[in-house]
mmCIF file of all heavy atoms in Angstrom:
data_model
loop_
_atom_site.group_PDB
_atom_site.id
_atom_site.type_symbol
_atom_site.label_atom_id
_atom_site.label_comp_id
_atom_site.label_asym_id
_atom_site.label_seq_id
_atom_site.Cartn_x
_atom_site.Cartn_y
_atom_site.Cartn_z
ATOM 1 N N SER A 121 79.439 194.353 115.979
ATOM 2 C CA SER A 121 79.791 195.587 115.265
ATOM 3 C C SER A 121 79.109 195.616 113.894
ATOM 4 O O SER A 121 78.821 196.686 113.356
ATOM 5 C CB SER A 121 81.308 195.681 115.104
ATOM 6 O OG SER A 121 81.817 194.546 114.420
ATOM 7 N N ASN A 122 78.849 194.430 113.323
ATOM 8 C CA ASN A 122 78.116 194.333 112.047
ATOM 9 C C ASN A 122 76.625 194.175 112.331
ATOM 10 O O ASN A 122 76.031 193.128 112.085
ATOM 11 C CB ASN A 122 78.612 193.128 111.236
ATOM 12 C CG ASN A 122 79.965 193.375 110.629
ATOM 13 O OD1 ASN A 122 80.282 194.489 110.255
ATOM 14 N ND2 ASN A 122 80.766 192.339 110.533
ATOM 15 N N ARG A 123 76.020 195.203 112.869
ATOM 16 C CA ARG A 123 74.598 195.134 113.200
ATOM 17 C C ARG A 123 73.796 196.021 112.255
ATOM 18 O O ARG A 123 74.340 196.877 111.551
ATOM 19 C CB ARG A 123 74.355 195.545 114.650
ATOM 20 C CG ARG A 123 74.820 196.947 115.005
ATOM 21 C CD ARG A 123 74.586 197.214 116.490
ATOM 22 N NE ARG A 123 75.031 198.541 116.882
ATOM 23 C CZ ARG A 123 76.253 198.821 117.276
ATOM 24 N NH1 ARG A 123 77.169 197.866 117.322
ATOM 25 N NH2 ARG A 123 76.593 200.047 117.629
ATOM 26 N N LEU A 124 72.504 195.815 112.267
ATOM 27 C CA LEU A 124 71.620 196.523 111.355
ATOM 28 C C LEU A 124 71.408 197.967 111.802
ATOM 29 O O LEU A 124 71.043 198.222 112.948
ATOM 30 C CB LEU A 124 70.266 195.806 111.289
ATOM 31 C CG LEU A 124 69.227 196.417 110.352
ATOM 32 C CD1 LEU A 124 69.694 196.346 108.911
ATOM 33 C CD2 LEU A 124 67.889 195.706 110.507
ATOM 34 N N VAL A 125 71.649 198.901 110.892
ATOM 35 C CA VAL A 125 71.377 200.321 111.140
ATOM 36 C C VAL A 125 70.403 200.772 110.053
ATOM 37 O O VAL A 125 70.783 200.978 108.897
ATOM 38 C CB VAL A 125 72.671 201.161 111.091
ATOM 39 C CG1 VAL A 125 72.347 202.632 111.372
ATOM 40 C CG2 VAL A 125 73.686 200.638 112.099
ATOM 41 N N LEU A 126 69.132 200.886 110.411
ATOM 42 C CA LEU A 126 68.094 201.160 109.421
ATOM 43 C C LEU A 126 68.293 202.493 108.710
ATOM 44 O O LEU A 126 67.924 202.647 107.545
ATOM 45 C CB LEU A 126 66.715 201.128 110.091
ATOM 46 C CG LEU A 126 66.241 199.752 110.571
ATOM 47 C CD1 LEU A 126 64.911 199.880 111.298
ATOM 48 C CD2 LEU A 126 66.109 198.783 109.415
ATOM 49 N N SER A 127 68.892 203.461 109.403
ATOM 50 C CA SER A 127 69.076 204.778 108.791
ATOM 51 C C SER A 127 70.067 204.754 107.632
ATOM 52 O O SER A 127 70.106 205.677 106.821
ATOM 53 C CB SER A 127 69.546 205.784 109.853
ATOM 54 O OG SER A 127 70.776 205.364 110.425
ATOM 55 N N ASP A 128 70.868 203.673 107.536
ATOM 56 C CA ASP A 128 71.862 203.583 106.471
ATOM 57 C C ASP A 128 71.288 203.046 105.168
ATOM 58 O O ASP A 128 71.976 203.006 104.147
ATOM 59 C CB ASP A 128 73.022 202.675 106.907
ATOM 60 C CG ASP A 128 73.847 203.308 108.028
ATOM 61 O OD1 ASP A 128 73.692 204.523 108.242
ATOM 62 O OD2 ASP A 128 74.617 202.578 108.673
ATOM 63 N N PHE A 129 70.029 202.625 105.183
ATOM 64 C CA PHE A 129 69.451 201.988 104.005
ATOM 65 C C PHE A 129 68.469 202.915 103.298
ATOM 66 O O PHE A 129 67.833 203.760 103.915
ATOM 67 C CB PHE A 129 68.736 200.687 104.398
ATOM 68 C CG PHE A 129 69.675 199.610 104.866
ATOM 69 C CD1 PHE A 129 69.952 199.443 106.215
ATOM 70 C CD2 PHE A 129 70.300 198.773 103.956
ATOM 71 C CE1 PHE A 129 70.815 198.454 106.652
ATOM 72 C CE2 PHE A 129 71.167 197.784 104.373
ATOM 73 C CZ PHE A 129 71.430 197.625 105.725
ATOM 74 N N GLN A 130 68.349 202.713 102.002
ATOM 75 C CA GLN A 130 67.419 203.471 101.173
ATOM 76 C C GLN A 130 66.288 202.542 100.697
ATOM 77 O O GLN A 130 66.356 201.320 100.859
ATOM 78 C CB GLN A 130 68.148 204.066 99.956
ATOM 79 C CG GLN A 130 69.388 204.859 100.312
ATOM 80 C CD GLN A 130 69.081 206.096 101.143
ATOM 81 O OE1 GLN A 130 68.034 206.715 100.964
ATOM 82 N NE2 GLN A 130 69.991 206.451 102.038
ATOM 83 N N ILE A 131 65.268 203.137 100.096
ATOM 84 C CA ILE A 131 64.148 202.350 99.582
ATOM 85 C C ILE A 131 64.630 201.344 98.539
ATOM 86 O O ILE A 131 64.139 200.209 98.467
ATOM 87 C CB ILE A 131 63.078 203.271 98.966
ATOM 88 C CG1 ILE A 131 62.502 204.210 100.029
ATOM 89 C CG2 ILE A 131 61.970 202.449 98.320
ATOM 90 C CD1 ILE A 131 61.804 203.493 101.156
ATOM 91 N N ALA A 132 65.620 201.743 97.745
ATOM 92 C CA ALA A 132 66.154 200.836 96.721
ATOM 93 C C ALA A 132 66.748 199.580 97.352
ATOM 94 O O ALA A 132 66.660 198.482 96.777
ATOM 95 C CB ALA A 132 67.207 201.555 95.890
ATOM 96 N N ASP A 133 67.352 199.738 98.530
ATOM 97 C CA ASP A 133 67.921 198.581 99.218
ATOM 98 C C ASP A 133 66.825 197.596 99.624
ATOM 99 O O ASP A 133 67.011 196.373 99.536
ATOM 100 C CB ASP A 133 68.696 199.030 100.466
ATOM 101 C CG ASP A 133 69.894 199.905 100.116
ATOM 102 O OD1 ASP A 133 70.524 199.631 99.075
ATOM 103 O OD2 ASP A 133 70.181 200.846 100.875
ATOM 104 N N LEU A 134 65.697 198.124 100.072
ATOM 105 C CA LEU A 134 64.571 197.269 100.456
ATOM 106 C C LEU A 134 64.054 196.486 99.263
ATOM 107 O O LEU A 134 63.713 195.309 99.379
ATOM 108 C CB LEU A 134 63.448 198.122 101.057
ATOM 109 C CG LEU A 134 63.746 198.814 102.386
ATOM 110 C CD1 LEU A 134 62.589 199.727 102.778
ATOM 111 C CD2 LEU A 134 63.984 197.776 103.480
ATOM 112 N N GLN A 135 64.011 197.127 98.109
ATOM 113 C CA GLN A 135 63.524 196.458 96.906
ATOM 114 C C GLN A 135 64.446 195.308 96.494
ATOM 115 O O GLN A 135 63.982 194.265 96.031
ATOM 116 C CB GLN A 135 63.394 197.461 95.765
ATOM 117 C CG GLN A 135 62.325 198.537 96.009
ATOM 118 C CD GLN A 135 62.316 199.609 94.937
ATOM 119 O OE1 GLN A 135 63.289 199.766 94.203
ATOM 120 N NE2 GLN A 135 61.227 200.353 94.837
ATOM 121 N N GLN A 136 65.744 195.497 96.687
ATOM 122 C CA GLN A 136 66.702 194.474 96.278
ATOM 123 C C GLN A 136 66.636 193.225 97.159
ATOM 124 O O GLN A 136 66.914 192.114 96.681
ATOM 125 C CB GLN A 136 68.120 195.047 96.303
ATOM 126 C CG GLN A 136 68.376 196.086 95.222
ATOM 127 C CD GLN A 136 69.768 196.667 95.315
ATOM 128 O OE1 GLN A 136 70.500 196.397 96.263
ATOM 129 N NE2 GLN A 136 70.151 197.463 94.320
ATOM 130 N N VAL A 137 66.284 193.387 98.428
ATOM 131 C CA VAL A 137 66.277 192.238 99.349
ATOM 132 C C VAL A 137 64.874 191.713 99.606
ATOM 133 O O VAL A 137 64.699 190.778 100.390
ATOM 134 C CB VAL A 137 66.936 192.611 100.699
ATOM 135 C CG1 VAL A 137 68.384 193.023 100.493
ATOM 136 C CG2 VAL A 137 66.155 193.706 101.408
ATOM 137 N N ALA A 138 63.871 192.288 98.959
ATOM 138 C CA ALA A 138 62.484 191.878 99.225
ATOM 139 C C ALA A 138 62.263 190.409 98.853
ATOM 140 O O ALA A 138 61.684 189.647 99.640
ATOM 141 C CB ALA A 138 61.519 192.777 98.455
ATOM 142 N N VAL A 139 62.713 189.998 97.665
ATOM 143 C CA VAL A 139 62.513 188.611 97.228
ATOM 144 C C VAL A 139 63.293 187.631 98.108
ATOM 145 O O VAL A 139 62.726 186.620 98.565
ATOM 146 C CB VAL A 139 62.890 188.449 95.744
ATOM 147 C CG1 VAL A 139 62.832 186.977 95.341
ATOM 148 C CG2 VAL A 139 61.956 189.273 94.874
ATOM 149 N N PRO A 140 64.598 187.882 98.389
ATOM 150 C CA PRO A 140 65.300 186.975 99.319
ATOM 151 C C PRO A 140 64.652 186.937 100.701
ATOM 152 O O PRO A 140 64.642 185.883 101.344
ATOM 153 C CB PRO A 140 66.709 187.579 99.397
ATOM 154 C CG PRO A 140 66.869 188.338 98.134
ATOM 155 C CD PRO A 140 65.522 188.878 97.808
ATOM 156 N N ALA A 141 64.090 188.064 101.146
ATOM 157 C CA ALA A 141 63.438 188.092 102.451
ATOM 158 C C ALA A 141 62.225 187.174 102.478
ATOM 159 O O ALA A 141 61.971 186.485 103.480
ATOM 160 C CB ALA A 141 63.022 189.519 102.805
ATOM 161 N N VAL A 142 61.476 187.149 101.388
ATOM 162 C CA VAL A 142 60.329 186.232 101.293
ATOM 163 C C VAL A 142 60.814 184.782 101.344
ATOM 164 O O VAL A 142 60.212 183.935 102.014
ATOM 165 C CB VAL A 142 59.533 186.491 100.003
ATOM 166 C CG1 VAL A 142 58.462 185.417 99.804
ATOM 167 C CG2 VAL A 142 58.891 187.872 100.045
ATOM 168 N N SER A 143 61.904 184.493 100.633
ATOM 169 C CA SER A 143 62.469 183.140 100.648
ATOM 170 C C SER A 143 62.895 182.741 102.051
ATOM 171 O O SER A 143 62.650 181.614 102.495
ATOM 172 C CB SER A 143 63.664 183.053 99.689
ATOM 173 O OG SER A 143 63.285 183.366 98.371
ATOM 174 N N ILE A 144 63.553 183.664 102.765
ATOM 175 C CA ILE A 144 63.987 183.389 104.132
ATOM 176 C C ILE A 144 62.783 183.132 105.026
ATOM 177 O O ILE A 144 62.775 182.198 105.843
ATOM 178 C CB ILE A 144 64.823 184.567 104.670
ATOM 179 C CG1 ILE A 144 66.147 184.668 103.927
ATOM 180 C CG2 ILE A 144 65.075 184.408 106.167
ATOM 181 C CD1 ILE A 144 66.946 185.907 104.247
ATOM 182 N N ALA A 145 61.746 183.954 104.884
ATOM 183 C CA ALA A 145 60.548 183.799 105.716
ATOM 184 C C ALA A 145 59.863 182.464 105.446
ATOM 185 O O ALA A 145 59.479 181.753 106.391
ATOM 186 C CB ALA A 145 59.584 184.956 105.456
ATOM 187 N N LEU A 146 59.724 182.095 104.171
ATOM 188 C CA LEU A 146 59.069 180.836 103.833
ATOM 189 C C LEU A 146 59.875 179.642 104.327
ATOM 190 O O LEU A 146 59.320 178.673 104.853
ATOM 191 C CB LEU A 146 58.856 180.738 102.323
ATOM 192 C CG LEU A 146 57.818 181.696 101.728
ATOM 193 C CD1 LEU A 146 57.794 181.579 100.207
ATOM 194 C CD2 LEU A 146 56.434 181.412 102.306
ATOM 195 N N LEU A 147 61.199 179.722 104.153
ATOM 196 C CA LEU A 147 62.057 178.634 104.604
ATOM 197 C C LEU A 147 61.993 178.505 106.125
ATOM 198 O O LEU A 147 61.885 177.402 106.670
ATOM 199 C CB LEU A 147 63.492 178.871 104.148
ATOM 200 C CG LEU A 147 64.531 177.832 104.583
ATOM 201 C CD1 LEU A 147 64.125 176.445 104.106
ATOM 202 C CD2 LEU A 147 65.908 178.198 104.033
ATOM 203 N N GLY A 148 62.064 179.653 106.821
ATOM 204 C CA GLY A 148 61.965 179.624 108.277
ATOM 205 C C GLY A 148 60.628 179.087 108.747
ATOM 206 O O GLY A 148 60.547 178.338 109.727
ATOM 207 N N MET A 149 59.568 179.451 108.029
ATOM 208 C CA MET A 149 58.229 178.991 108.386
ATOM 209 C C MET A 149 58.124 177.473 108.245
ATOM 210 O O MET A 149 57.696 176.773 109.171
ATOM 211 C CB MET A 149 57.195 179.669 107.490
ATOM 212 C CG MET A 149 55.756 179.250 107.777
ATOM 213 S SD MET A 149 54.576 179.911 106.564
ATOM 214 C CE MET A 149 54.843 181.681 106.756
ATOM 215 N N VAL A 150 58.534 176.960 107.087
ATOM 216 C CA VAL A 150 58.411 175.529 106.829
ATOM 217 C C VAL A 150 59.273 174.720 107.792
ATOM 218 O O VAL A 150 58.818 173.750 108.408
ATOM 219 C CB VAL A 150 58.794 175.217 105.368
ATOM 220 C CG1 VAL A 150 58.873 173.715 105.133
ATOM 221 C CG2 VAL A 150 57.790 175.836 104.411
ATOM 222 N N GLU A 151 60.547 175.111 107.931
ATOM 223 C CA GLU A 151 61.466 174.342 108.773
ATOM 224 C C GLU A 151 61.029 174.337 110.233
ATOM 225 O O GLU A 151 60.983 173.300 110.885
ATOM 226 C CB GLU A 151 62.881 174.912 108.652
ATOM 227 C CG GLU A 151 63.613 174.467 107.412
ATOM 228 C CD GLU A 151 65.085 174.265 107.681
ATOM 229 O OE1 GLU A 151 65.609 174.952 108.565
ATOM 230 O OE2 GLU A 151 65.692 173.414 107.019
ATOM 231 N N SER A 152 60.707 175.515 110.778
ATOM 232 C CA SER A 152 60.376 175.597 112.194
ATOM 233 C C SER A 152 59.083 174.863 112.516
ATOM 234 O O SER A 152 59.000 174.142 113.526
ATOM 235 C CB SER A 152 60.271 177.065 112.624
ATOM 236 O OG SER A 152 59.234 177.718 111.915
ATOM 237 N N LEU A 153 58.081 174.998 111.648
ATOM 238 C CA LEU A 153 56.805 174.357 111.929
ATOM 239 C C LEU A 153 56.874 172.842 111.751
ATOM 240 O O LEU A 153 56.275 172.088 112.526
ATOM 241 C CB LEU A 153 55.707 174.942 111.036
ATOM 242 C CG LEU A 153 55.386 176.422 111.267
ATOM 243 C CD1 LEU A 153 54.167 176.838 110.457
ATOM 244 C CD2 LEU A 153 55.151 176.717 112.744
#
């Protein structure tokens, strides 16, 4: 029920999570590889 609904987000929301998203991607990249 707590799933992602892209239509509920604004551009400002993307800006706020951009840096954490990079951290998640880098961490996932390093750990998995």
